[in-house]
Amino acid sequence: MAQNVSTAARAEMLDAQTATRGILQCATCGVEYDARDHPGICPICADERQYLPADGIQHWADPSRYAGPLELVELERGLFAMRGVEGVGIGQEANVLVTEHGNVMVEVPAAITDSAIEAVRALGPMRAIIPSHPHMFGLQSAWSEALGGAPVWVPRADAAWLGRAPARIRLWEGEEQVVPGITAAQLGGHFPGSAVVHWAGADGRGVLLSGDTIAPNPDGRTLAFMRSYPNRIPLSGTVALRVAEAAARFDFDRLYGNFAGAVLQDAREAVLASARRHAAWTSGEHDDLT
């Protein structure tokens, strides 16, 4: 036991440069790869859900050279967002849930800095890091190492997309309680393992961190269900309804996506109504309006 505590203590002291040693990341999607054994082309970007660089050339980045800020912003009591304003990748933000049973990071930034590590550590011990799907893997190995070896929960169905396996990886599927009050659930859709995380909320009304398994629209009242967001490939109406109904097993008043979008009231009903709208349009029900 003493050896485990000592190992964790050493890991918790890692700075950003040490944590990113041996890592390269795709400059387009920001996902980490083993610097000694990386592919010629990022398979995540070559997939139809993402995109290769416009010049057709694969670009790689050294994450230790990131010099931009990562800002930790409180969204509501017990929920923080980590936002970067520049750098590689697609610009996702991570969320940190703070509870008396330990903290959980949902989604992973494509950057890491000493100041961001310090800010996250100050919130309390990290019990789990949960990327919702491969686009959100980011620098998950580095963040795990910097936060004391926090286990990284990777959807089993999407594990083949890993370019670098974290030292502490937990392959999972279905639905699991991460810590009391926080449950992870795989709903599929965007990727077979696409997940959401439900939190009871500091006020007890429920919060869903939906990633882009279910993506908030700019109006703040409706949501989207897509196989590819940048390439505008929709899911079928049947799958949208399946995903929405699976999410609706949970009670939640608010929903936060992974690109700063949110639905801040009546979010559960908004998910169901949006899925019904999606299904109606994809079925041709409203073709008379086109």
Side-chain angles (χ1 to χ4, degrees), residues 12 14 69-74 80-83 96 98 103 105 112-126 143 146-147:
E12 194 167 6
L14 291 183
L70 277 175
E71 184 182 18
L72 198 63
V73 179
E74 187 171 19
F80 293 79
M82 194 184 315
R83 297 171 176 163
V96 179
V98 179
N103 301 345
M105 178 184 287
I112 186 169
T113 65
D114 291 342
S115 59
I117 293 169
E118 183 179 355
V120 173
R121 285 179 184 162
L123 296 175
M126 189 62 63
W143 274 103
L147 298 176

Side-chain angles (χ1 to χ4, degrees), residues 153-179:
W153 289 41
V154 173
R156 186 182 300 276
D158 298 333
W161 294 99
L162 285 166
R164 178 183 174 91
R168 292 195 64 195
I169 186 172
R170 175 170 179 170
L171 299 180
W172 69 288
E173 57 193 3
E175 182 178 312
E176 293 199 36
Q177 181 173 261
V178 185
V179 299

Side-chain angles (χ1 to χ4, degrees), residues 61-270:
D62 178 351
S64 69
R65 297 175 65 88
Y66 176 76
L70 277 175
E71 184 182 18
L72 198 63
V73 179
E74 187 171 19
L75 301 178
E76 59 177 82
R77 185 159 58 96
L79 174 60
F80 293 79
M82 194 184 315
R83 297 171 176 163
V85 296
E86 56 187 48
V88 305
I90 56 178
Q92 75 265 24
E93 65 180 41
N95 291 123
V96 179
L97 293 168
V98 179
T99 83
E100 61 182 319
H101 305 287
N103 301 345
V104 176
M105 178 184 287
V106 182
E107 316 299 20
V108 187
I112 186 169
T113 65
D114 291 342
S115 59
I117 293 169
E118 183 179 355
V120 173
R121 285 179 184 162
L123 296 175
M126 189 62 63
R127 300 303 183 204
I129 296 172
I130 307 177
S132 63
H133 66 286
H135 294 153
M136 298 294 108
F137 285 170
L139 293 175
Q140 57 189 10
S141 292
W143 274 103
S144 172
E145 291 294 326
L147 298 176
V152 180
W153 289 41
V154 173
R156 186 182 300 276
D158 298 333
W161 294 99
L162 285 166
R164 178 183 174 91
R168 292 195 64 195
I169 186 172
R170 175 170 179 170
L171 299 180
W172 69 288
E173 57 193 3
E175 182 178 312
E176 293 199 36
Q177 181 173 261
V178 185
V179 299
I182 298 178
T183 300
Q186 292 179 11
L187 308 186
H190 183 45
F191 274 77
S194 282
V196 298
V197 173
H198 179 265
W199 173 48
D203 62 359
R205 299 178 65 186
V207 171
L208 194 73
L209 302 182
S210 67
D212 48 15
T213 302
I214 305 170
N217 288 327
D219 62 13
R221 298 186 301 276
T222 64
L223 301 108
F225 304 82
M226 302 288 281
R227 174 170 174 80
S228 171
Y229 290 89
N231 298 326
R232 313 297 198 271
I233 306 173
L235 295 172
S236 72
T238 299
V239 172
L241 289 168
R242 186 194 79 203
V243 169
E245 289 163 4
R249 299 196 310 268
F250 299 100
D251 289 325
F252 55 95
D253 179 59
R254 302 175 299 285
L255 178 151
Y256 294 89
N258 53 351
F259 289 94
V263 177
L264 297 179
Q265 62 181 14
D266 300 325
R268 181 178 177 275
E269 179 52 40

